[in-house]
């Protein structure tokens, strides 16, 4: 079975641009979460979606938004990119909302120049 | 103050050594705790859950002390393949089912 897949794997943008990152969860998983990992830090929670509704939001500005589609895939959008948005963006899926075991995708490495 | 604090290391140990990592968490409402392993430029992978009674998985032993808000991971008989960053994690039920990650502790096992 395929694991969590994310696209693209790498992305280079310039300040002020907008970016969309995509995630497909493991088949049967209904919950998707997004995390940002800056170099040298642990992953930081951005959003959780379950059954297409936002169930949790971390301490990120409104420039960050996300959505979940009927097939449970998800997109993360970041507007007005800043240099500080350069990071590895990780998507994780679980079967249920409170499922403890997160399965992470290999991430999208975003570089903002 | 970060919700999960851990010593970033690096810990350099010879093969066969025993090494211990510790972390503390600040949110007393945290319900669940984990250790994740992350190899360089890869995604984090769940190593093991952590329980108050202590739990063991082969060479790995995890322990939780709720009174001190302290989590530990012990690795016995270290292997070269154990070289990685170990992330301490506590759940944050105030924000969906978010995981609060520490910065990670870097371990290098040398021949």
């Amino acid at each position: 079975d395929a694991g969590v897949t994310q696209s693209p794997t790498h992305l280079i943008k310039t300040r002020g641009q907008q970016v969309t990152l995509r995630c497909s969860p493991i088949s049967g998983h209904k919950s998707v979460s997004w995390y940002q990992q800056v170099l040298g830090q642990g992953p930081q929670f951005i959003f959780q979606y379950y059954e297409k509704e936002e169930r949790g939001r971390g301490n990120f500005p409104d420039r960050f938004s996300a959505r979940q589609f009927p097939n449970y895939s998800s997109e993360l959008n970041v507007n007005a990119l800043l240099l500080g948005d350069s990071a590895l963006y990780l998507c994780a899926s679980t079967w249920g909302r409170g499922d403890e075991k997160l399965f992470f995708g290999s991430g999208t490495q975003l570089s903002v120049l | 103050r970060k919700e999960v604090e851990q010593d970033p290391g690096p810990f350099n140990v010879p093969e066969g050594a025993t090494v211990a990592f510790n972390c503390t968490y600040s949110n007393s409402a945290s319900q669940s705790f984990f250790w994740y392993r992350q190899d360089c430029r890869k995604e984090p992978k769940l190593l093991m859950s952590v329980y108050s009674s202590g739990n063991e998985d082969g060479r790995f032993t995890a322990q939780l002390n709720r009174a001190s808000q302290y989590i530990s991971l012990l690795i016995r008989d270290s292997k070269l393949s154990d070289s990685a960053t170990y992330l301490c994690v506590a759940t944050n039920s105030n924000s969906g089912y978010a995981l609060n990650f520490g910065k990670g502790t870097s371990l290098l096992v040398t021949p």
Side-chain angles (χ1 to χ4, degrees):
Chain A
D1 284 345
V4 178
T5 57
Q6 293 187 241
S7 63
T9 54
H10 296 83
L11 203 51
I12 299 175
K13 292 286 189 179
T14 56
R15 282 177 296 177
Q17 287 189 311
Q18 175 265 341
V19 69
T20 298
L21 311 181
R22 296 177 176 82
C23 172
S24 293
I26 292 172
S27 178
H29 284 193
K30 299 181 178 181
S31 177
V32 170
S33 299
W34 288 95
Y35 287 79
Q36 179 197 66
Q37 187 173 23
V38 174
L39 193 62
Q41 303 290 323
Q44 188 172 358
F45 174 70
I46 309 175
F47 288 110
Q48 185 199 31
Y49 276 77
Y50 176 71
E51 289 286 12
K52 301 176 286 296
E53 291 189 13
E54 182 183 303
R55 303 291 183 163
R57 171 186 281 259
N59 187 25
F60 279 81
D62 292 343
R63 299 185 297 107
F64 289 77
S65 63
R67 55 179 174 169
Q68 186 177 34
F69 298 99
N71 66 354
Y72 302 109
S73 67
S74 177
E75 286 183 352
L76 175 70
N77 294 286
V78 186
N79 293 322
L81 285 167
L82 303 174
L83 296 180
D85 295 331
S86 296
L88 178 67
Y89 288 84
L90 294 159
C91 173
S93 77
T94 61
W95 183 84
R97 177 185 176 185
D99 196 326
E100 298 180 343
K101 293 180 174 58
L102 288 188
F103 294 86
F104 283 91
S106 54
T108 294
Q109 183 65 54
L110 173 64
S111 299
V112 182
L113 306 179
Chain B
R1 179 185 177 191
K2 284 188 69 69
E3 292 209 25
V4 177
E5 303 260 15
Q6 50 181 137
D7 182 350
F11 284 64
N12 294 334
V13 303
E15 266 186 297
T18 294
V19 61
F21 304 141
N22 305 313
C23 91
T24 58
Y25 62 95
S26 61
N27 186 350
S28 59
S30 293
Q31 296 289 325
S32 302
F33 306 89
F34 311 94
W35 284 99
Y36 274 73
R37 170 192 169 129
Q38 186 172 29
D39 294 293
C40 187
R41 300 181 185 277
K42 301 283 190 180
E43 72 274 21
K45 292 184 179 177
L46 179 64
L47 179 65
M48 57 196 306
S49 301
V50 188
Y51 306 111
S52 298
S53 56
N55 50 304
E56 188 174 308
D57 182 2
R59 298 181 292 107
F60 298 82
T61 300
Q63 187 75 50
L64 166 66
N65 184 322
R66 285 190 183 273
S68 303
Q69 298 184 197
Y70 174 92
I71 303 163
S72 65
L73 176 68
L74 184 75
I75 305 175
R76 292 181 299 277
D77 188 23
S78 298
K79 311 292 185 189
L80 296 177
S81 57
D82 293 334
S83 298
T85 296
Y86 291 83
L87 298 160
C88 179
V89 182
T91 56
N92 177 6
S93 58
N94 293 326
S95 188
Y97 200 80
L99 298 186
N100 286 327
F101 285 82
K103 290 178 64 172
T105 298
S106 176
L107 172 65
L108 178 63
V109 181
T110 56

